[in-house]
Amino acid sequence: MAPIAVGDAIPDGTLAYFDDQDQLQKVSIHSLAAGKKVVLFAVPGAFTPTCSLKHVPGFIEKEEELKSKGVDEILCISVNDPFVMKAWAKTYPETKNVKFLADGSATYTHALGLELDLSEKGLGVRSRRFALLVDDLKVKIANIESGGEFTVSGAEDILKAL
C-alpha cells in the first residue's frame, strides 16, 4: 500500500487512550479531525530516546504556537498499548494539548501505509516517524521520515509550513 500523501483523505480508524478519569476510551480519528485542523504525528515507540527526548517535547514546547496558527488538535500516535501510552503521557505533565493515542496492533498505522518493520531489533512492526497536517480530513502536509531519522517531522517543520 502506498503511504498517505498530500491531497489524500486520512482513513478512519479507532485508537485508544485513557481519559482524565482514568477510564479507557476508544476514539475514531475522524471524530477528532473532521472539520478541524489537526497535527497527527507518530513515533516508532513510547519511551524510546529520540521519541522521548526530541520528537514529543518539540510538539509540547510549540503547542501554544501551533494553536495560535489555527491547529485545533495535536495527536501523538504510537504502536504501543494504551497503558504504555498513559504512562508515557504522565512523563510530560506540562502538556495541555498533546493527546497520546495508542495503535496497539498497528492497524491504523497500516491503513496510513506508514508501518516500519523493526523485527530485527526485537520491536516488531511499528510506525515510521511522521507528522501530518490535516485540514478537515485532507492531508495538507506529509512529513514522513526514512528509517529512524528525525529530520522533517518535528513541530518546527510543521510551523514553517503553516
Side-chain angles (χ1 to χ4, degrees):
M1 177 177 171
I4 191 114
V6 172
D8 291 348
I10 60 169
D12 201 4
T14 303
L15 301 175
Y17 70 99
F18 279 90
D19 65 18
D20 294 338
Q21 288 75 44
D22 213 26
Q23 297 299 306
L24 182 62
Q25 302 291 330
K26 292 190 176 185
V27 65
S28 99
I29 287 290
H30 279 193
S31 73
L32 293 174
K36 297 179 183 172
K37 189 180 286 187
V38 175
V39 171
L40 181 64
F41 76 99
V43 297
F47 294 108
T48 57
T50 302
C51 307
S52 294
L53 301 174
K54 295 180 181 174
H55 205 180
V56 170
F59 280 98
I60 291 171
E61 289 165 16
K62 300 295 183 184
E63 62 187 13
E64 293 301 326
E65 196 174 341
L66 287 160
K67 290 280 190 180
S68 75
K69 298 216 177 218
V71 172
D72 299 300
E73 299 274 1
I74 304 168
L75 309 174
C76 175
I77 297 176
S78 186
V79 179
N80 289 107
D81 67 66
F83 297 94
V84 169
M85 292 300 281
K86 175 176 89 168
W88 194 36
K90 285 182 177 180
T91 68
Y92 302 102
E94 67 277 20
T95 189
K96 294 175 184 65
N97 297 306
V98 176
K99 287 186 174 70
F100 289 78
L101 302 172
D103 184 17
S105 299
T107 305
Y108 192 68
T109 299
H110 182 71
L112 292 170
L114 294 174
E115 62 277 356
L116 176 65
D117 189 349
L118 295 175
S119 296
E120 284 185 13
K121 295 182 179 184
L123 299 173
V125 174
R126 297 293 180 117
S127 175
R128 290 171 64 182
R129 186 182 311 282
F130 67 84
L132 305 176
L133 180 67
V134 177
D135 193 348
D136 194 20
L137 307 179
K138 295 280 187 211
V139 177
K140 300 297 182 185
I141 299 167
N143 294 347
I144 301 167
E145 303 283 1
S146 297
E149 293 181 2
F150 179 54
T151 57
V152 299
S153 63
E156 288 284 347
D157 301 296
I158 294 292
L159 281 167
K160 285 180 202 167
L162 283 173

